[in-house]
Amino acid sequence: RTIGDRIGEAKASGNLGNTLKILGQFDEAVVCCQRHLDISQEQGDKVGEARALYNIGNVYHAKGKHLSWNMAQDPGHLPQEVKETLQKASEYYERNLSLVKELGDRAAQGRAYGNLGNTQYLLGNFSEAIGFHKERLAIAKEFGDKAAERRAYSNLGNAHIFLGRFDISAEYYKKTLQLSRQLKDQAVEAQACYSLGNTYTLLQDYERAIEYHLKHLVIAQELGDR
């Protein structure tokens, strides 16, 4: 500020916003991220503007998750305050998405689609969530980003469960399992086995359910995860 460096001030405000978000001081975080947005727009800095929009989305997303953790409810069955917070997150992600499309930044589009999928899922809009996660999946494949691809499969599986399409969920969870083994991530592999066990229980294929729950158990024991 002293040297009149507006872009520097914008970036510093953004960093402050992200730090305050991690500290759980969401309202103060929004103020700082908004300053980042305002200055970026004033300076015609499109990249900074996109980043600020994404960060504000993140703050509302984190706040919504934080509020809903205190109430163990299924996606879609949320108190008004949580709903409004997640809707705001979604709006900022949408604005970020249209800007990064304009800038031709595919990686940033991938991040926006993933977060839009997650917020729509929490809001109980499962079909919309599926649409966004499919876009996320396509971009992850484009970049050969196996970890993002794995997350997309997992999220697609979760959303299909709530639409009662258990067989489709099972297929997505199997892809999650396959990738978690490729990535040698045992904790995620265990999670995928757990999800498959539950899905086969819903499909009333109990033999298979037992098989996957046993695999989950073995990994949990190996990891010493009580």
Side-chain angles (χ1 to χ4, degrees), residues 42-98:
E42 164 208 305
Q43 296 293 313
D45 173 9
K46 292 281 190 192
V47 174
E49 184 182 344
R51 198 161 291 150
L53 288 166
Y54 182 77
N55 288 343
I56 297 174
N58 274 173
V59 175
Y60 283 120
H61 195 170
K63 184 182 179 180
K65 279 201 286 199
H66 175 78
L67 289 170
S68 61
W69 276 336
N70 306 331
M71 322 148 192
Q73 270 148 328
D74 276 341
H77 301 284
L78 299 167
Q80 197 53 34
E81 186 193 359
V82 181
K83 235 183 229 174
E84 282 167 11
T85 305
L86 290 169
Q87 267 153 358
K88 271 187 189 159
S90 215
E91 282 160 28
Y92 279 100
Y93 287 142
E94 289 273 14
R95 285 173 63 186
N96 164 263
L97 180 61
S98 67

Side-chain angles (χ1 to χ4, degrees), residues 5-222:
D5 175 0
R6 292 294 275 166
I7 298 278
E9 185 185 341
K11 282 181 183 163
S13 298
N15 289 337
L16 267 172
N18 290 339
T19 310
L20 287 162
K21 178 196 80 180
I22 294 164
L23 290 169
Q25 295 173 27
F26 303 114
D27 299 337
E28 293 94 322
V30 170
V31 173
C32 292
C33 291
Q34 185 65 48
R35 193 184 309 129
H36 183 192
L37 179 62
D38 293 341
I39 299 171
S40 300
Q41 285 173 333
E42 164 208 305
Q43 296 293 313
D45 173 9
K46 292 281 190 192
V47 174
E49 184 182 344
R51 198 161 291 150
L53 288 166
Y54 182 77
N55 288 343
I56 297 174
N58 274 173
V59 175
Y60 283 120
H61 195 170
K63 184 182 179 180
K65 279 201 286 199
H66 175 78
L67 289 170
S68 61
W69 276 336
N70 306 331
M71 322 148 192
Q73 270 148 328
D74 276 341
H77 301 284
L78 299 167
Q80 197 53 34
E81 186 193 359
V82 181
K83 235 183 229 174
E84 282 167 11
T85 305
L86 290 169
Q87 267 153 358
K88 271 187 189 159
S90 215
E91 282 160 28
Y92 279 100
Y93 287 142
E94 289 273 14
R95 285 173 63 186
N96 164 263
L97 180 61
S98 67
L99 193 48
V100 293
K101 275 183 178 169
E102 201 182 298
L103 294 167
D105 185 342
R106 287 294 277 167
Q109 287 169 45
R111 287 192 291 275
Y113 280 126
N115 281 321
L116 278 164
N118 291 335
T119 47
Q120 290 304 313
Y121 172 82
L122 290 171
L123 285 163
N125 303 330
F126 303 114
S127 299
E128 286 88 337
I130 287 165
F132 287 127
H133 285 310
K134 280 185 174 165
E135 295 281 1
R136 176 67 192 110
L137 178 62
I139 295 173
K141 284 179 173 173
E142 237 173 75
F143 280 89
D145 184 343
K146 295 287 181 194
E149 193 183 330
R150 199 273 309 152
R151 286 194 301 274
Y153 283 133
S154 184
N155 288 328
L156 282 162
N158 294 343
H160 279 93
I161 288 282
F162 281 96
L163 292 175
R165 299 184 193 143
F166 307 135
D167 46 343
I168 299 175
S169 286
E171 292 314 307
Y172 281 125
Y173 289 142
K174 278 179 196 163
K175 288 184 167 150
T176 306
L177 181 58
Q178 217 176 332
L179 278 171
S180 65
R181 284 174 178 159
Q182 270 181 39
L183 294 163
K184 299 191 169 36
D185 187 335
Q186 278 198 298
V188 172
E189 185 183 339
Q191 186 61 51
C193 290
Y194 176 78
S195 297
L196 278 161
N198 289 340
T199 307
Y200 280 114
T201 301
L202 292 166
L203 285 164
Q204 299 182 338
D205 185 342
Y206 302 116
E207 291 298 320
R208 259 193 187 164
I210 288 168
E211 200 182 300
Y212 281 111
H213 283 311
L214 282 170
K215 282 180 183 168
H216 174 215
L217 179 62
V218 169
I219 299 172
Q221 286 170 337
E222 265 176 39

